[in-house]
Amino acid sequence: MTDQIGIYILIGVILIAVVVLFTFVPVALWISAWAAGVKVGIFQLVGMRLRRVIPHRVVNPLIKAVKAGLDINTNKLEGHYLAGGNVDRVVNALIAAQRANIDLTFERCAAIDLAGRDVLEAVQMSVNPKVIETPFIAGVAMDGIEVKAKARITVRANIDRLVGGAGEDTVIARVGEGIVSTIGSAKNHKEVLENPDMISQTVLKKGLDAGTAFEILSIDIADIDIGKNIGAGLQTDQAEADKKIAQAKAEERRAMAVAQEQEMKARVEEMRAKVVEAEAEVPLAMSEALRSGNLGVMDYLNFNNVKADTDMRDSIGRATRGDEDDEEQGTITPRPPQR
């Protein structure tokens, strides 16, 4: 009975050991590598487990690379994986570069991948150029007419400048700047409409792909259209602004004239007040002259007679002038002359 229990315990320990072995040591992966002719030892796979490296993330790309004829060892792939790179994408890019006769080393490919760029897409773009389409870019010719143009940029990836090179946004911005500059240097919008290729030729001569991760192969104008008359709009806005300034100045002059008129009226009223004040002193002076004997009673009466005669003449003169004015205006019928 004791011997049977010992046998069962031994069998259980063996089963546990086998399960742990197949769980911790990827035996199936080792068999696949051995069948593909890739020399990967069991202890190497165990070391990958200990270094927190997923074995199939390294071994499967290694099998692919060996079958493609690439000279890559396990340490390089494992180091790239530990650095946070995509091992499978790097190997695929190296295989694609080898088939396309592109000189690309593992170190360069790994650097491009760690820089955050899709190295496989870059290799594919080197073989098959990519077309980047810009939005409508507006420029204003010298005659003030707005011209809108849309361009298609054919680019090819430059492997040597992928690390540190600018992306598509920079290429689009530079091409847009060149389009605006070319349209702005045209004397009138008709020149741009007649020869849209002048835009692409001028932009290509500027070497806009310098410092970017691409090589510009061609720039083609896909569409061109006429926009607003910017010059006329600016002139209209300027004329409206000038009119408002003139109106403001005229209103300022009118306000100054009204203020001056009110000031003159105030001065007239002030002068009238002084006249009334002076006239009020005349009776006082006359009474003082009568008391002092400088003015006699007859002199005073003669003065009153002269004053009354003067008032009568003034009233007659005003009445005569009023009749003449009415006669000129046709409001009264003139009297016939007496015989």
Side-chain angles (χ1 to χ4, degrees):
M1 186 69 179
T2 305
D3 295 337
Q4 291 180 351
I5 294 175
I7 292 172
Y8 291 150
I9 293 175
L10 180 62
I11 294 173
V13 170
I14 293 173
L15 290 175
I16 294 174
V18 170
V19 171
V20 171
L21 177 65
F22 278 89
T23 302
F24 191 76
V25 180
V27 178
L29 186 64
W30 175 78
I31 295 173
S32 299
W34 176 78
V38 179
K39 296 180 180 180
V40 179
I42 291 292
F43 293 103
Q44 284 183 310
L45 297 177
V46 173
M48 290 181 188
R49 290 286 190 184
L50 296 176
R51 289 187 291 272
R52 298 182 180 275
V53 176
I54 301 176
H56 71 86
R57 294 286 183 86
V58 175
V59 176
N60 288 334
L62 180 62
I63 295 172
K64 192 187 305 181
V66 171
K67 287 298 182 180
L70 299 178
D71 185 13
I72 301 177
N73 55 38
T74 309
N75 292 330
K76 290 183 178 181
L77 297 180
E78 189 175 349
H80 185 65
Y81 177 83
L82 291 174
N86 191 323
V87 178
D88 189 62
R89 186 164 54 192
V90 169
V91 172
N92 290 335
L94 289 173
I95 296 173
Q98 183 191 37
R99 297 295 185 267
N101 292 326
I102 298 175
D103 186 12
L104 181 63
T105 62
F106 175 82
E107 288 74 14
R108 186 68 178 174
C109 189
I112 295 172
D113 183 65
L114 292 177
R117 295 187 181 274
D118 192 341
V119 62
L120 179 59
E121 182 183 358
V123 173
Q124 292 173 349
M125 194 184 299
S126 297
V127 179
N128 185 20
K130 180 180 180 181
V131 177
I132 304 173
E133 185 170 337
T134 66
F136 270 109
I137 301 171
V140 181
M142 290 184 181
D143 58 354
I145 305 298
E146 182 185 29
V147 180
K148 299 179 180 179
K150 179 188 290 186
R152 287 192 177 96
I153 312 165
T154 304
V155 297
R156 180 171 57 197
N158 192 327
I159 302 297
D160 295 334
R161 293 202 300 251
L162 277 177
V163 178
E168 294 183 8
D169 295 336
T170 302
V171 174
I172 294 175
R174 290 182 180 180
V175 171
E177 180 183 357
I179 292 175
V180 172
S181 176
T182 304
I183 295 175
S185 61
K187 294 183 179 179
N188 55 67
H189 67 285
K190 295 180 181 179
E191 293 183 0
V192 182
L193 295 177
E194 292 174 357
N195 300 308
D197 57 336
M198 64 180 292
I199 299 177
S200 57
Q201 293 176 1
T202 305
V203 173
L204 280 174
K205 292 178 182 178
K206 294 185 177 182
L208 301 179
D209 54 359
T212 65
F214 304 99
E215 179 184 353
I216 298 178
L217 301 178
S218 66
I219 299 176
D220 303 311
I221 302 301
D223 193 7
I224 192 166
D225 195 6
I226 297 295
K228 300 178 181 179
N229 193 337
I230 303 297
L234 292 176
Q235 291 178 359
T236 303
D237 294 341
Q238 184 64 40
E240 185 68 22
D242 293 341
K243 185 184 75 171
K244 290 181 179 180
I245 293 173
Q247 289 177 348
K249 291 183 178 179
E251 183 65 23
E252 182 181 359
R253 290 194 298 269
R254 190 191 68 80
M256 291 179 62
V258 171
Q260 188 175 6
E261 181 183 2
Q262 296 298 326
E263 184 180 356
M264 296 303 294
K265 288 181 179 180
R267 292 181 63 184
V268 169
E269 294 298 329
E270 183 181 358
M271 293 296 109
R272 287 178 179 175
K274 290 182 180 180
V275 170
V276 172
E277 184 181 359
E279 289 178 350
E281 293 180 356
V282 172
L284 297 176
M286 293 181 66
S287 62
E288 181 64 27
L290 287 172
R291 281 194 298 269
S292 61
N294 293 328
L295 181 67
V297 177
M298 295 302 298
D299 295 332
Y300 180 70
L301 293 176
N302 291 332
F303 172 75
N304 288 334
N305 290 333
V306 172
K307 182 179 179 183
D309 191 23
T310 302
D311 292 339
M312 181 182 64
R313 287 190 180 93
D314 290 339
S315 62
I316 294 172
R318 284 195 296 270
T320 305
R321 286 194 299 271
D323 292 341
E324 291 178 354
D325 293 339
D326 294 339
E327 184 177 353
E328 290 178 357
Q329 296 176 0
T331 56
I332 61 173
T333 304
R335 291 176 295 179
Q338 298 179 358
R339 296 182 180 179

